[in-house]
Amino acid sequence: MRIKINAVADSERFPESVDVIVIGGGIIGTSVSYELAKQGVSVALFEKGVIGGEQSGRNWGWVRQQNRELYELPMAMRSLQRWDELSSKIGLDLGFSRQGITYGTQSESDLARWEAWGKQAQQLGFVSHLMTAQETRERISNNAPWIGGVWSPSDGRAEPSLAAPAMATGAKNLGASIQQNCAVRGLDVSGGRVTGVWTERGLVKANRVICCGGAWSSRFCKQYGIELPSANILGTAFKTTAAPEVIKGCLSTGGLCIRRRQDGSYTVALAGRGQIDLAPQNIRYATRFYAMYRSKIAKKLKVRINGSFFNGPEASGSWSNQSESPFEKIRTLDPAADNGIVQEAMQALVQLYPELNGIKVDYAWGGWIDTTPDLVPVIDEMTSIPGLFIASGFSGHGFGIGPGAGLLCAQMVNNKPLFTDVKPYSLARFAKGQAIREPQMM
């Protein structure tokens, strides 16, 4: 793989039956597993590759409340609380610290949007600070004509290479079964409801299954007539060599995005830049993404045709529970970085911070981001197949809100009181004839 991530040891015994099965070993799946195990539920997590091997180990490492879609803010706020608690409870380093997140802008419309958002967010209990031009220059850099910015000191950062593996290990220490390189081929259904899953190593019984498969969730769900609108967007990021500290936490300039890492290097990316494949899944859901396609979000994306039309998470075709599945054919999505984006981002970084002149790219990578039409995840139980739950479509926000989402999902799956309303995350909002919320880009 092009990324480096902590390894997790599998559980020694392969389970025959559990209360809950979790499909997918990213930040959501590992968080759900940890929270369920903490509640005393017997749980097994199946990952077709390795824990954190796909987007949960490839993201920017931002742990953000600021500029969230307001539907997500209560979950993001609860998630920050869990980030604070988890390292000590699990006994492993997640790389988390509250170093703040700063946004700078040269656009009056950005400032107006941030000010309006901040007033609404304050009603939910979150406080950030709108900055003047001078304050922004002092906080970020004097090398750009800032007209203002916003700063959220309670936001943080964490290390993608550490977080999901630590949560999986924490879940295992509480009794969860962790099984890697073991794909779930499909559901076992009896009497119209879930009774287990078929893995490549055989049947495992359970009366509740939660699909946290990220880029693969939509293709898995389609086997059962469940329409989960998702477009996978290929993003690029890179790690620099160690360099002087120009900012402690995370920074967005509207284009350039950076995070200071534990080892003194930076994770760098360009906001909103990426590629989308012309593939069966994207064609099937094109009308659901109309609002996004006509927005400024899509203007930053390239459209391409490649092998994903015939193979991968967005391809078409079916399989049986007794034959090799698409999930076994591609254990880990490991796309190459877009070198053009890498070079452009590096130039922007050095232009903003001349003191970083001489900094180099340590390594770069690509990652597939599962995205919904309104950029808000689906967290829901499927009425068509009782016992099947979905937690997917986190649209590049999943890492930061992962612990909060995991707690919410565990409460939902285990029929416990929910700390926030799940209605905004219902899959039914994408049903034909329903008006899809306009995607927000903060």
Side-chain angles (χ1 to χ4, degrees):
M1 291 193 294
R2 295 177 177 87
I3 59 169
K4 300 172 184 178
I5 192 162
N6 276 12
V8 177
D10 284 343
S11 299
E12 293 182 4
R13 189 181 70 83
F14 191 81
E16 296 180 0
S17 66
V18 290
D19 295 328
V20 180
I21 287 171
V22 178
I23 303 173
I27 196 72
I28 307 301
T30 56
S31 298
V32 173
S33 299
Y34 174 79
E35 297 292 349
L36 285 170
K38 188 170 176 286
Q39 293 175 19
V41 176
S42 66
V43 57
L45 182 154
F46 294 96
E47 164 56 48
K48 64 184 179 60
V50 297
I51 297 295
E54 294 191 338
Q55 189 56 24
S56 291
R58 297 162 187 267
N59 62 84
W60 300 351
W62 291 36
V63 179
R64 173 172 62 91
Q65 301 159 103
Q66 177 67 42
N67 290 342
R68 287 283 184 194
E69 166 63 62
L70 287 169
Y71 296 111
E72 285 185 329
L73 186 54
M75 185 160 62
M77 293 170 65
R78 187 60 177 270
S79 192
L80 261 291
Q81 295 176 16
R82 295 300 289 143
W83 279 107
D84 269 333
E85 300 161 352
L86 283 169
S87 287
S88 60
K89 290 186 178 297
I90 294 174
L92 295 170
D93 183 19
L94 283 70
F96 173 72
S97 62
R98 291 185 186 256
Q99 300 285 354
I101 292 178
T102 303
Y103 289 75
T105 187
Q106 301 171 32
S107 166
E108 293 286 355
S109 63
D110 284 343
L111 288 179
R113 189 169 70 252
W114 293 340
E115 183 177 18
W117 183 92
K119 291 177 180 178
Q120 294 176 290
Q122 191 167 6
Q123 296 177 14
L124 297 172
F126 176 72
V127 178
S128 59
H129 305 281
L130 206 63
M131 298 186 296
T132 65
Q134 181 59 33
E135 289 171 333
T136 306
R137 286 192 293 269
E138 291 174 354
R139 178 162 292 279
I140 302 177
S141 168
N142 287 314
N143 293 313
W146 309 114
I147 65 168
V150 65
W151 179 51
S152 51
S154 64
D155 279 337
R157 66 185 192 190
E159 294 295 338
S161 63
L162 304 178
M167 292 182 189
T169 301
K172 188 174 71 166
N173 290 342
L174 291 173
S177 177
I178 305 297
Q179 303 294 330
Q180 299 169 96
N181 291 299
C182 184
V184 172
R185 291 173 171 173
L187 301 174
D188 187 62
V189 179
S190 179
R193 67 165 296 118
V194 166
T195 50
V197 300
W198 286 93
T199 77
E200 61 184 280
R201 294 174 61 182
L203 176 65
V204 180
K205 304 295 286 186
N207 58 17
R208 286 160 290 171
V209 173
I210 180 164
C211 177
C212 309
W216 297 90
S217 292
S218 184
R219 188 169 188 189
F220 181 89
C221 290
K222 190 174 183 298
Q223 287 279 93
Y224 303 96
I226 297 169
E227 296 288 328
L228 175 60
S230 180
N232 294 322
I233 295 174
L234 177 59
T236 286
F238 64 91
K239 176 185 179 296
T240 70
T241 52
E245 183 178 84
V246 294
I247 194 161
K248 289 182 178 296
C250 305
L251 168 68
S252 170
T253 68
L256 181 69
C257 296
I258 66 174
R259 171 181 64 89
R260 182 71 167 172
R261 298 169 65 116
Q262 282 185 323
D263 64 0
S265 65
Y266 293 92
T267 293
V268 184
L270 294 179
R273 296 285 293 277
Q275 299 177 344
I276 187 168
D277 284 355
L278 186 63
Q281 179 175 295
N282 292 334
I283 295 170
R284 184 166 65 251
Y285 295 129
T287 58
R288 315 284 180 90
F289 282 86
Y290 175 73
M292 180 185 288
Y293 292 154
R294 66 182 175 85
S295 73
K296 65 179 181 180
I297 299 172
K299 293 178 182 177
K300 295 184 178 183
L301 301 176
K302 301 176 185 177
V303 178
R304 67 177 190 176
I305 301 175
N306 73 353
S308 66
F309 195 95
F310 303 103
N311 195 21
E314 296 176 319
S316 60
S318 60
W319 60 94
S320 76
N321 291 333
Q322 283 70 47
S323 63
E324 185 182 39
S325 68
F327 319 117
E328 295 152 72
K329 294 176 181 177
I330 303 178
R331 293 286 179 184
T332 301
L333 291 168
D334 188 26
D338 184 324
N339 288 327
I341 290 177
V342 172
Q343 293 174 15
E344 187 178 339
M346 182 61 87
Q347 290 171 1
L349 178 63
V350 175
Q351 182 178 358
L352 182 62
Y353 293 112
E355 59 266 47
L356 296 182
N357 188 36
I359 193 173
K360 299 185 183 302
V361 175
D362 187 1
Y363 58 90
W365 63 88
W368 287 105
I369 303 167
D370 56 313
T371 306
T372 65
D374 60 5
L375 305 183
V376 174
V378 171
I379 301 174
D380 202 359
E381 181 176 10
M382 300 298 98
T383 55
S384 59
I385 309 179
L388 174 63
F389 299 80
I390 295 174
S392 197
F394 282 80
S395 305
H397 308 163
F399 184 74
I401 62 175
L407 176 60
L408 182 62
C409 292
Q411 291 172 340
M412 180 176 63
V413 170
N414 202 24
N415 198 27
K416 298 288 186 180
L418 307 180
F419 72 80
T420 191
D421 187 8
V422 294
K423 290 180 182 177
Y425 309 114
S426 169
L427 179 59
R429 72 186 193 269
F430 298 129
K432 291 182 179 179
Q434 296 291 317
I436 294 175
R437 296 187 296 244
E438 189 79 17
Q440 300 296 312
M441 188 176 185
M442 303 301 290

